[in-house]
Amino acid sequence: VSGDQHASCDNCKKSDATGYCKQCTKFYCVECLGVHNKWVTFLDHTVISLDEVARTAFQLPSIKPEVTMKCSSHDQPLKIYCETCHDLICSDCTVRIHKGHEYDLISDTYDKHRQIIESSLQPVREQIVVVTEALTTLTHREK
């Protein structure tokens, strides 16, 4: 949240955040923060600057609580990954929109895809070692 980092507004999703409400556990831009601060319901809320968030981040509750994503067509939790379409879907989608497709639970698919990525990174890691050793050798030769 400090330096090169920034947070987008959790309310409008369009602007960069300028403040953080501890009670709402949300980041707000200038415009949304103005509305937030006008509402009687939020008068006792504590809003802090992003610099203060950066300094006290270890004291804050989870800034972005985990959100259960829902299917836009069926309003059901997205728990399945369609391997055919490479899309997250709900259980209703498996028998309607994605009938006959290959799919699996997100948790199982995550592990499978993570392993594929890990195995594809191995040759890159090996090349990094080779290039680093070559760079070290060249550096020693220059001295």
Side-chain angles (χ1 to χ4, degrees), residues 19-23 28 33 36-37 45-49 52:
Y20 174 79
C21 177
K22 289 183 173 184
Q23 286 74 19
Y28 293 107
L33 198 53
H36 174 276
N37 291 339
H45 285 200
T46 305
V47 176
I48 60 176
S49 70
E52 192 174 343

Side-chain angles (χ1 to χ4, degrees), residues 19-33:
Y20 174 79
C21 177
K22 289 183 173 184
Q23 286 74 19
C24 296
T25 64
K26 293 192 182 299
F27 289 101
Y28 293 107
C29 66
V30 171
E31 188 175 338
C32 293
L33 198 53

